[in-house]
Amino acid sequence: MKVALASLVAAFVLLQLRLWVSDEGLREVWHLRQAVENQVAENKVLAERNLQMKAEVNDLKHGFTALEERARNDLGMIEASETFYQVVDASSRLPAAEPTVPDSLQARAQP
């Protein structure tokens, strides 16, 4: 009886040791849970970004104002009926610098 009890206790201790200390035990479960939490957080950020991009694509496809805004901000375009004015701070201007005309207006500036 004592031998059976001792072998059962030894088996229990070895199984507990394997559960708590080994690489396939609870440490691995904890690391995997952390990895899942990190991935879920990253997926939330990416899902939000995807929604924003879908809304922007939809707006560019169906709305002329978004397309016009993008052309103005990103490409510096102006309409044919508009006049372009560039305001430069006097303190930031270099004394030897000559005024420049943007590429989009050079065709109009030269007769």
Side-chain angles (χ1 to χ4, degrees):
M1 185 74 166
K2 289 182 183 181
V3 175
L5 182 63
S7 63
L8 285 174
V9 168
F12 179 74
V13 168
L14 288 175
L15 289 174
Q16 286 295 314
L17 184 66
R18 182 175 175 210
L19 177 68
W20 291 97
V21 178
S22 75
D23 289 337
E24 294 115 16
L26 291 179
R27 277 193 299 178
E28 181 68 17
V29 170
W30 183 78
H31 288 298
L32 289 174
R33 285 185 181 164
Q34 289 292 345
V36 167
E37 286 178 15
N38 292 341
Q39 191 65 48
V40 166
E42 184 180 350
N43 288 350
K44 277 186 178 181
V45 170
L46 293 175
E48 180 65 32
R49 191 182 84 187
N50 285 348
L51 287 175
Q52 290 174 352
M53 291 178 82
K54 283 180 185 178
E56 185 177 347
V57 166
N58 189 28
D59 198 23
L60 286 172
K61 281 183 178 179
H62 302 292
F64 183 71
T65 56
L67 186 61
E68 183 179 355
E69 178 185 348
R70 184 157 285 224
R72 288 177 183 274
N73 292 336
D74 294 347
L75 303 175
M77 299 180 97
I78 59 172
E79 287 185 14
S81 62
E82 295 178 333
T83 305
F84 177 77
Y85 293 99
Q86 184 175 7
V87 179
V88 180
D89 186 20
S91 63
S92 67
R93 253 183 106 176
L94 296 175
E98 295 181 20
T100 59
V101 178
D103 294 337
S104 61
L105 296 178
Q106 282 184 356
R108 289 189 207 162
Q110 298 173 356

